Structures are given as C-alpha cells and as structure tokens.
Amino acid sequence: MKFPAQLTTNLKQRLSLGLILPLALVGAIALPPHQQNAQAQTNDKRALIIRSDIQEANTQTGVFTARGRVQMEYPARQIQATAAQAQYFDRDRRIILTGNVYVLQEGNSIRGEVVTYLLDENRFVAEPSANQQVESIY
C-alpha cells in the first residue's frame, strides 16, 4: 500500500518529534551534576534566563521548576536574582523564588525567604522567613 506524499511527510515529522522530544527531556532532567540553563521568551522578545543544578518542566500544567543554586537574569528589566528554587508559572506569568532570595534591579535590592515576581505588572511581593523581616534597599 502506498501513502500520499503529504501523509508520509506528516508521519515522518510526528515520528521524529516523538523520538527527539523524549531524548531532549531526558537530557534536561536526568543530568543534574551540571548547571542547566533555561530561556523563556517574554512579551518584549527578550530572554528570561534561569540557571540551576536541576530543572524540570511540566507542559500540561505550564509550570517550570529550577532547583539548586538558582540564578535568574532578565536583561530587559535589568533584574538579577539568586535563590534556592524558582518556579515559573506560564499561565499566570509569575515567578516564585524561594530560599534565601536576593533580587537586584537597577541598583535596588530586596531580600526575603519568598519573593514573587509578577511579570505583567513588573511588581515584586516579598515574604520573610519565620520571625524575620524582608529587607529592601533603594
């Protein structure tokens, strides 16, 4: 039985994606000894870069998680941050940084245990650890 050319091309594309995607995910998730990078395109077409020891993404929930020595750079808004963990929620367009969080933006800084960054509002919400306070320097 002979398949039409378009069907054959479509089938080849599906098979190649079916084989390549799992290999890419295994490489991204199963190699924690090296620091990994992730980039998300933002509305202003400038990359949000996250480096960490371990990264995983759930395409069904739209949640990206980075753990271990997290470093975040967002050059479009002059933001640099460090934390123990970062979670990017694609649907809500927010990033939650946890664990000894330090954020630096245009010479201003904020420290806390949990810092949420709302991308569309360009706004930070910081929470301290128990019996502590948030520190901001402007």
Side-chain angles (χ1 to χ4, degrees):
M1 178 174 196
K2 191 170 183 175
F3 294 105
Q6 185 178 9
L7 181 61
T8 304
T9 303
N10 191 10
L11 185 59
K12 285 180 186 177
Q13 288 174 343
R14 282 182 164 179
L15 286 175
S16 66
L17 276 177
L19 294 173
I20 292 171
L21 189 57
L23 290 175
L25 289 175
V26 166
I29 296 171
L31 301 174
H34 303 289
Q35 194 171 45
Q36 299 173 7
N37 296 324
Q39 290 188 351
Q41 290 297 330
T42 57
N43 282 344
D44 56 0
K45 306 295 186 218
R46 301 193 65 193
L48 168 67
I49 303 163
I50 298 178
R51 293 180 180 88
S52 66
D53 293 331
I54 298 171
Q55 297 181 3
E56 58 186 63
N58 185 325
T59 56
Q60 291 181 349
T61 63
V63 178
F64 165 83
T65 303
R67 290 188 309 271
R69 299 182 304 157
V70 175
Q71 298 173 10
M72 183 181 90
E73 294 177 46
Y74 191 3
R77 297 197 181 155
Q78 298 179 332
I79 297 172
Q80 296 177 320
T82 58
Q85 177 175 293
Q87 286 190 296
Y88 172 68
F89 296 84
D90 186 45
R91 294 178 186 146
D92 301 337
R93 294 195 33 83
R94 68 185 160 112
I95 300 169
I96 299 177
L97 301 160
T98 55
N100 194 27
V101 181
Y102 176 73
V103 178
L104 181 64
Q105 182 181 32
E106 299 178 9
N108 303 314
S109 67
I110 190 165
R111 288 184 186 273
E113 185 60 26
V114 178
V115 176
T116 302
Y117 178 60
L118 306 168
L119 280 94
D120 293 332
E121 299 175 31
N122 193 22
R123 181 168 66 104
F124 292 96
V125 178
E127 301 172 29
S129 55
N131 300 317
Q132 299 293 316
Q133 292 182 314
V134 173
E135 177 186 83
S136 296
I137 301 174
Y138 292 94

